[in-house]
């Protein structure tokens, strides 16, 4: 009996061991091909591919789930993502990076799925409100994505040149002061170490893709915008007076042969290259420029560049009558809406992993874009190189979260490039202003058509009205040490003389009236004497 019991016990134990071995073996076994997840990521700059490879390998070690990583260029990404979901949904990505302004478009097209049920697990309270706004379609509650990193544009200056010229940060408080500083630099004899004449600034005016991001601070600071709510939808705001003031200032700088002489022949990448060569004093660009200073030239970095030797000083943007604004974009992560839902749970696991604070920090530190997580931003704020860029988040705005924004953006990009082409071929100020007014009028009509807003504006009258803004002469306020820089001493420029006349007009009128009274009295006295 005892031997029978012992046999049963031993047999049962053996079976238990076998079952346990099978269970643990299954858990330890590598995932099959059907369990492999796909994630599509754009090329986010120097080091981004290596950083992503490390993250997906780490995910595999932690979960046993393999991930196929696909890297896209920003130029091809929008169309390729669209084709993947419309033509061959089965090869579409499980997790996908989207530019923040793309989220409403792909959400309305049904290519990404709502993830509200995941937000408590991800803890959406960690992220900036402006970043979270673009995770929705305007006017609708569903959440379709989560902020990953922030692309806030910084206002950079060559530190060596700034120091040698003796400017102070108070010289750049307002846009009139900015114009005065640019004119002062243009009239200086500052050169690079290789003898190239240093130019003040540049804007992208040819074959560019980011003109709307460069226009935005000017437009917003003067109280304007590109589109505004109207009724149940949106309408173009390009012909609103405040928008025209900002656009005209942008156009003034772009078309000025002194302040921004290379704008008509360069795109954003060319602008950055000129700044890296220390041939431009100011640059309005993205924050990863700072991180690139840490990488050697062999790795595609800027550690051996002229700007690395001169140093980058981060400034705050000038303020307009309505405040100080910078553009804030960035990238979000979303889940693909696929016909085969069998890997949905695994994809959600990968999304949550990518959005963990430690992984956001690791990726952001590699590429140089600000992390979207508030708690990590506090740490970055301790770095003096990034503290002013982090501070800019308080003055940053993003574009509206409407599905049509991608098409609107193309119109604005064309407008910026058309401005550059116009300035190359047309030098006469009045002809320029008339052509600019027509360009803006036509862009306004195109945007309203995209937004399905009935445009009832009368063409000739509106264009004539808009032209007056492009004829406006913006005031220039020169820095306190202008005479020391360009040696003008007692010889003010025409702009300064005009400002002096404006400030002294009442005195001149009084003096003139006094002289006239004296002349009348003298004439009367002579007649009476006769």
């Amino acid at each position: 009996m005892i031997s029978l019991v012992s046999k049963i016990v031993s047999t049962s134990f053996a079976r238990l061991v076998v079952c346990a071995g099978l269970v643990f073996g299954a858990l330890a076994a590598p995932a099959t091909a059907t369990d492999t997840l796909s994630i599509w990521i754009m090329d986010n700059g120097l080091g981004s591919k290596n950083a992503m490879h490390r993250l997906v390998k780490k995910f595999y070690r932690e979960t046993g789930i393999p991930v196929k990583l696909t890297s896209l260029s920003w130029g091809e990404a929008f169309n390729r993502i669209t084709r993947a979901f419309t033509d061959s949904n089965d090869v579409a990505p499980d997790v996908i990076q989207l530019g923040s302004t793309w989220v409403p478009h792909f959400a309305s097209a049904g290519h990404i799925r709502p993830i509200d049920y995941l937000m408590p697990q991800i803890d959406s309270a960690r992220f900036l409100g402006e970043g979270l706004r673009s995770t929705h379609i305007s006017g609708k509650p569903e959440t379709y994505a989560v902020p990953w990193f922030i692309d806030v544009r910084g206002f950079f200056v060559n530190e060596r040149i700034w120091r040698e010229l003796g400017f102070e940060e108070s010289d750049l408080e307002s846009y009139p002061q900015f114009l005065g500083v640019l004119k002062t630099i243009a009239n200086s004899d500052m050169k690079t170490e290789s003898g190239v004449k240093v130019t003040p600034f540049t804007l992208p005016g040819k074959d560019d893709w980011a003109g709307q991001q460069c226009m935005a601070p000017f437009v917003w600071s003067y109280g304007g915008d590109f589109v505004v709510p109207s009724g149940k939808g949106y309408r173009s705001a390009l012909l609103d007076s405040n928008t025209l003031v900002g656009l005209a200032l942008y156009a003034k700088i772009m078309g000025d042969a002194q302040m921004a002489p290379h704008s008509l022949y360069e795109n954003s990448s060319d602008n950055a290259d000129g700044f890296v060569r220390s041939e431009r004093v100011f640059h309005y660009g993205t924050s990863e420029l700072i991180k690139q200073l840490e990488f050697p030239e062999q790795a595609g970095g800027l550690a051996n560049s002229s700007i690395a030797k001169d140093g980058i000083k981060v400034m705050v943007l000038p303020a307009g009558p309505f405040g100080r604004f910078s553009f804030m974009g960035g990238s979000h992560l979303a889940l693909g809406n696929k016909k085969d839902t069998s890997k949905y749970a695994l994809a959600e696991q990968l999304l949550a992993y990518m959005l963990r604070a430690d992984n956001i920090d690791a990726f952001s530190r590699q590429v140089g874009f600000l992390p979207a997580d508030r708690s990590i931003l506090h740490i970055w704020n301790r770095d003096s190189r990034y503290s002013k860029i982090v501070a800019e988040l308080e003055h940053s705005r993003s574009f509206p979260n409407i599905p049509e924004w991608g098409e609107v953006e193309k119109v604005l990009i064309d407008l910026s490039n058309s401005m550059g082409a116009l300035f190359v071929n047309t030098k006469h100020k009045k002809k320029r202003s008339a052509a600019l007014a027509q360009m803006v009028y036509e862009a306004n009509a195109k945007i309203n058509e995209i937004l399905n807003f009935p445009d009832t504006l009368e063409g000739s009258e509106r264009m004539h009205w808009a032209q007056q803004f492009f004829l406006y002469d913006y005031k220039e306020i020169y820095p306190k040490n202008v005479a020391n820089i360009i040696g003008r001493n007692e010889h003010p420029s025409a702009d300064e003389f005009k400002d002096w006349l404006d400030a002294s007009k009442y005195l001149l009128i009084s003096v003139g009236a006094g002289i006239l009274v004296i002349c009348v009295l003298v004439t009367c006295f002579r007649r009476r004497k006769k």
Side-chain angles (χ1 to χ4, degrees):
M1 183 70 177
I2 295 174
S3 60
L4 180 61
V5 171
S6 62
K7 283 183 181 179
I8 294 172
V9 170
S10 61
T11 303
S12 301
F13 181 77
R15 287 174 178 172
L16 181 62
V17 169
V18 171
C19 289
L22 291 171
V23 170
F24 286 111
L27 289 173
T32 64
T34 57
D35 293 329
T36 300
L37 293 172
S38 62
I39 182 171
W40 286 14
I41 301 295
M42 270 62 102
D43 182 356
N44 296 301
L46 185 64
S48 66
K49 291 181 182 178
N50 289 336
M52 276 304 303
H53 280 296
R54 285 194 291 270
L55 282 175
V56 296
K57 285 180 180 178
K58 180 182 169 186
F59 178 74
Y60 177 69
R61 289 196 302 269
E62 290 185 11
T63 65
I65 304 169
V67 178
K68 181 183 179 183
L69 175 64
T70 300
S71 180
L72 309 176
S73 72
W74 277 101
E76 68 171 333
F78 191 94
N79 290 334
R80 188 167 169 187
I81 294 167
T82 301
R83 287 197 305 271
F85 281 104
T86 54
D87 299 341
S88 51
N89 186 276
D90 54 331
V91 299
D94 299 298
V95 179
I96 184 169
Q97 174 189 353
L98 295 173
S100 57
T101 57
W102 295 5
V103 173
H105 169 81
F106 285 104
S108 65
H111 297 331
I112 55 178
R113 53 193 174 101
I115 55 172
D116 300 83
Y117 62 97
L118 287 174
M119 297 312 280
Q121 176 189 345
I122 293 171
D123 184 14
S124 59
R126 294 185 290 143
F127 303 102
L128 293 170
E130 188 68 12
L132 286 171
R133 185 171 67 85
S134 53
T135 66
H136 305 268
I137 299 174
S138 179
K140 297 183 179 180
E142 294 85 4
T143 302
Y144 289 92
V146 183
W148 188 25
F149 62 77
I150 299 168
D151 174 14
V152 58
R153 282 184 167 257
F155 189 43
F156 305 118
V157 66
N158 182 300
E159 189 170 18
R160 175 187 63 82
I161 296 176
W162 177 266
R163 187 173 57 250
E164 289 182 9
L165 290 172
F167 291 133
E168 299 176 3
E169 292 191 25
S170 59
D171 292 327
L172 280 180
E173 282 294 318
S174 67
Y175 277 104
Q177 288 176 291
F178 181 47
L179 296 178
V181 167
L182 294 182
K183 283 289 184 74
T184 301
I185 295 169
N187 287 294
S188 73
D189 57 359
M190 184 62 65
K191 295 181 179 179
T192 66
E193 290 183 355
S194 57
V196 176
K197 176 80 166 67
V198 169
T199 56
F201 188 47
T202 189
L203 289 167
K206 183 179 181 182
D207 301 330
D208 193 61
W209 54 91
Q212 76 286 5
Q213 297 178 10
C214 296
M215 286 182 199
F218 296 91
V219 170
W220 290 336
S221 295
Y222 280 85
D225 211 337
F226 300 114
V227 300
V228 293
S230 179
K232 294 182 179 180
Y234 280 77
R235 66 165 178 84
S236 171
L238 288 187
L239 288 176
D240 292 5
S241 57
N242 288 347
T243 302
L244 285 168
V245 173
L247 283 176
L249 178 58
Y250 177 83
K252 175 183 174 65
I253 295 174
M254 177 190 277
D256 192 287
Q258 283 188 302
M259 293 190 288
H262 300 288
S263 297
L264 311 185
Y265 312 98
E266 293 187 354
N267 60 31
S268 294
S269 180
D270 300 324
N271 292 172
D273 289 344
F275 181 72
V276 166
R277 295 191 301 268
S278 294
E279 295 173 6
R280 318 282 159 76
V281 181
F282 292 101
H283 178 59
Y284 181 57
T286 50
S287 60
E288 86 274 14
L289 182 63
I290 296 173
K291 177 59 65 173
Q292 291 177 358
L293 297 176
E294 299 177 7
F295 293 92
E297 186 178 0
Q298 304 89 302
L302 302 174
N304 308 112
S305 66
S306 296
I307 194 61
K309 297 173 186 175
D310 289 350
I312 292 177
K313 183 179 177 66
V314 182
M315 310 290 289
V316 294
L317 279 165
F322 286 78
R324 189 190 314 275
F325 295 97
S326 183
F327 166 74
M328 187 182 96
S331 283
H332 291 30
L333 293 177
L335 294 174
N337 190 14
K338 305 183 68 172
K339 295 173 184 175
D340 179 6
T341 63
S342 61
K343 292 189 287 186
Y344 271 18
L346 298 180
E348 291 161 9
Q349 194 174 345
L350 176 58
L351 179 71
Y353 164 85
M354 291 294 297
L355 294 168
R356 261 175 25 194
D358 59 330
N359 292 327
I360 289 179
D361 190 38
F363 184 79
S364 298
R365 287 189 182 281
Q366 187 67 37
V367 299
F369 287 108
L370 295 181
D373 189 306
R374 293 173 187 268
S375 61
I376 305 171
L377 274 174
H378 287 307
I379 299 171
W380 281 54
N381 200 33
R382 299 171 191 163
D383 186 332
S384 59
R385 300 173 305 168
Y386 282 100
S387 58
K388 281 192 177 177
I389 295 180
V390 173
E392 279 297 294
L393 292 173
E394 298 178 15
H395 311 290
S396 297
R397 288 174 59 178
S398 55
F399 293 136
N401 52 327
I402 55 176
E404 302 89 351
W405 180 254
E407 295 177 79
V408 171
E409 202 165 51
K410 290 176 185 176
V411 175
L412 296 174
I413 290 170
D414 289 343
L415 175 61
S416 178
N417 288 328
S418 296
M419 283 182 179
L422 168 67
F423 293 146
V424 168
N425 299 308
T426 308
K427 305 299 180 185
H428 190 273
K429 186 174 181 179
K430 197 160 186 180
K431 289 182 179 178
R432 271 188 178 188
S433 64
L436 280 169
Q438 183 170 356
M439 282 180 186
V440 174
Y441 176 82
E442 291 173 356
N444 184 81
K446 289 178 184 176
I447 292 173
N448 279 334
E449 184 177 354
I450 292 167
L451 299 174
N452 199 27
F453 180 82
D455 197 339
T456 57
L457 297 177
E458 203 285 314
S460 59
E461 288 185 11
R462 295 294 284 181
M463 281 191 284
H464 178 72
W465 180 75
Q467 183 182 359
Q468 307 311 307
F469 290 88
F470 292 105
L471 287 169
Y472 181 73
D473 284 325
Y474 286 84
K475 185 178 181 182
E476 298 159 4
I477 300 177
Y478 286 85
K480 295 182 287 292
N481 65 337
V482 59
N484 297 332
I485 295 172
I486 60 178
R488 288 180 297 173
N489 297 321
E490 302 297 327
H491 307 288
S493 69
D495 290 320
E496 288 177 310
F497 185 66
K498 181 180 66 178
D499 291 343
W500 179 82
L501 282 176
D502 288 340
S504 307
K505 60 185 176 182
Y506 294 112
L507 176 61
L508 293 172
I509 289 170
S510 300
V511 171
I515 293 172
L516 181 61
V517 168
I518 292 171
C519 291
V520 170
L521 291 173
V522 169
T523 303
C524 293
F525 177 75
R526 285 179 176 175
R527 286 180 178 176
R528 188 175 180 181
K529 193 173 182 181
K530 289 179 179 178

